[in-house]
Amino acid sequence: MPNDHTVTAYNEELALLDKRIAQMGGLTEHNLGRAFDALMNRDPSLADQVIKADKEIDTLQIQIEEQVIQMIARRQPMADDLRHIMAALKIAGDLERIGDLGKNIAKRSLAIANEQCPRKLMFGLQHMVESALHQLKDVLDAYGGRSTDLALTVWRDDEQIDEMYNSVFRELLTYMMEDPRNIGFCTHLLFGAKNLERIGDHTTNIAEIVYFLVKGEEIAADRPKRDTTSTTLFTPPAS
C-alpha cells in the first residue's frame, strides 16, 4: 500500500497538471483576444507580440507532455487517475492548436496592414471571436470544476459559431463579387473567420474530453455541426 507521503506527492503532481492546463488556457484565451485586436486595428506591432507569445503556449504543452510521460512511467495510474492524466494531455493538444490558430489570425493582420478595409466587414468576425472566447472560458471552467453540464452547454453551442461563420462567409463572398478589388483583403478575412470556426471545433473537443473525464463515457449524440460553406462554393444555382 502506498504511504501517506507517496499519496500526497501524487496528488500534488495531479494538481500541478491542472495548474498548467489552467495557465495554458489563460494564455491561449488572452492571445486569441489580442490576435483579433491586431486584425481589427491592423496593428503589426501587436500582431508580432501575439506571434512571439505563442511560444509560451508551446512551452507549456511540452511541459505537460513531459509530466504526463513521467507520471505514467512512475505512478502507473489506473481508472480515474489515468483518465485525468490523459484528459490533460489531450486538452493541452487542443489548446496548442487554438494558440496556433490565434497566431494565424495575427499573421492575417500583417498581410492587410496597409489595406483599406471597411470596418463593417469586421463586425461578423467580432461576434465570432466574442463567442469563441466565451466558449473557451466556459470549457476551461468546466474542466476546472469537472462540470458536465457546462461542458455539454459548450458542446451544443458550437452550432452558433458555425452559423456565424456561414453568415460571414456569405457576406465576404458577396463583397468580393461586387468589386474584384476587394478580393485580397476579403480572402484574408475569410481565412481569419475559418480559423475562428476551427477554434470552435477544438473547444468542442475539449468539452467532449471533460465529459468523458467525469462520466467515463462518450457523449451519446452526434456532434452538432452547421458549417455549410463547403456546399456554398460548389452547389450550382437553381435554374
Side-chain angles (χ1 to χ4, degrees), residues 35-205:
F36 183 75
D37 287 343
L39 182 66
M40 171 73 84
N41 298 309
R42 294 188 288 290
D43 185 339
S45 175
L46 182 56
D48 285 335
Q49 292 176 37
V50 170
I51 293 167
K52 291 176 182 176
D54 184 63
K55 293 179 181 178
E56 297 179 53
I57 297 172
D58 294 341
T59 298
L60 277 168
Q61 185 198 17
I62 292 169
Q63 291 174 351
I64 290 168
E65 288 177 345
E66 291 175 346
Q67 183 182 347
V68 166
I69 291 170
Q70 291 173 6
M71 291 182 73
I72 290 175
R74 289 189 293 106
R75 303 297 186 184
Q76 299 180 351
M78 302 291 289
D80 290 350
D81 288 342
L82 182 59
R83 285 211 306 272
H84 183 170
I85 292 169
M86 295 310 297
L89 180 64
K90 291 179 180 179
I91 290 171
D94 278 301
L95 289 174
E96 190 275 335
R97 285 298 300 133
I98 292 172
D100 284 346
L101 291 163
K103 180 175 65 175
N104 288 344
I105 292 171
K107 288 180 178 179
R108 296 293 165 188
S109 71
L110 294 175
I112 65 170
N114 298 317
E115 297 277 355
Q116 294 299 318
C117 177
R119 203 167 181 82
K120 66 177 183 179
L121 291 181
M122 304 296 291
F123 292 154
L125 273 77
Q126 185 172 8
H127 292 151
M128 283 188 73
V129 77
E130 288 171 354
S131 183
L133 285 169
H134 180 73
Q135 295 283 84
L136 181 55
K137 179 183 181 303
D138 280 354
V139 85
L140 291 169
D141 287 346
Y143 175 74
R146 302 297 190 267
S147 171
T148 56
D149 288 341
L150 189 52
L152 282 172
T153 297
V154 172
W155 184 81
R156 295 189 186 102
D157 286 350
D158 184 51
E159 285 183 303
Q160 295 179 9
I161 295 179
D162 288 341
E163 289 171 351
M164 290 178 192
Y165 174 61
N166 293 337
S167 176
V168 168
F169 182 90
R170 288 192 297 268
E171 181 183 8
L172 292 174
L173 203 60
T174 300
Y175 206 72
M176 286 189 284
M177 292 170 65
E178 288 175 350
D179 188 342
R181 291 173 298 180
N182 299 327
I183 290 175
F185 66 80
C186 281
T187 299
H188 288 293
L189 295 185
L190 277 174
F191 278 115
K194 185 60 181 178
N195 287 334
L196 290 170
E197 188 271 335
R198 290 293 296 132
I199 286 169
D201 290 342
H202 284 288
T203 304
T204 306
N205 288 348

